[in-house]
Amino acid sequence: MKATDARSKTVDELSDELARLKKEQFNLRFQKATGQLEQTGRIREVRRDIARVKTIARQKAAEAKA
């Protein structure tokens, strides 16, 4: 997910996206543990997407307060 895509979403959509990414991260970790993971770089992408979504959600929350 690009930062511009995330910025265009609402806070509720970002929380839904965060839940989806965390579920995907769990599934990828499970695949890695069982030796079934083929796209090892996907773990890194998902981890960074989670950080990106959290950052943008936090920025939106700060804007709402101000």
Side-chain angles (χ1 to χ4, degrees):
M1 165 182 289
K2 300 268 185 188
T4 54
D5 297 338
R7 289 188 197 285
S8 66
K9 294 185 178 186
T10 65
V11 176
D12 290 334
E13 290 173 335
L14 286 174
S15 64
D16 292 342
E17 182 70 19
L18 182 62
R20 186 190 67 76
L21 287 168
K22 286 202 175 249
K23 190 178 292 186
E24 183 178 355
Q25 182 184 36
F26 173 79
N27 289 334
L28 289 170
R29 282 194 324 236
F30 195 87
Q31 287 176 6
K32 183 180 178 186
T34 59
Q36 296 175 348
L37 184 62
E38 294 179 5
Q39 296 178 340
T40 57
R42 184 68 183 138
I43 293 174
R44 185 181 203 180
E45 289 176 22
V46 170
R47 195 173 68 233
R48 288 181 179 187
D49 284 345
I50 289 171
R52 191 172 293 121
V53 168
K54 282 184 174 182
T55 300
I56 292 171
R58 190 163 169 229
Q59 287 173 348
K60 285 184 181 264
E63 289 173 4
K65 275 187 180 177

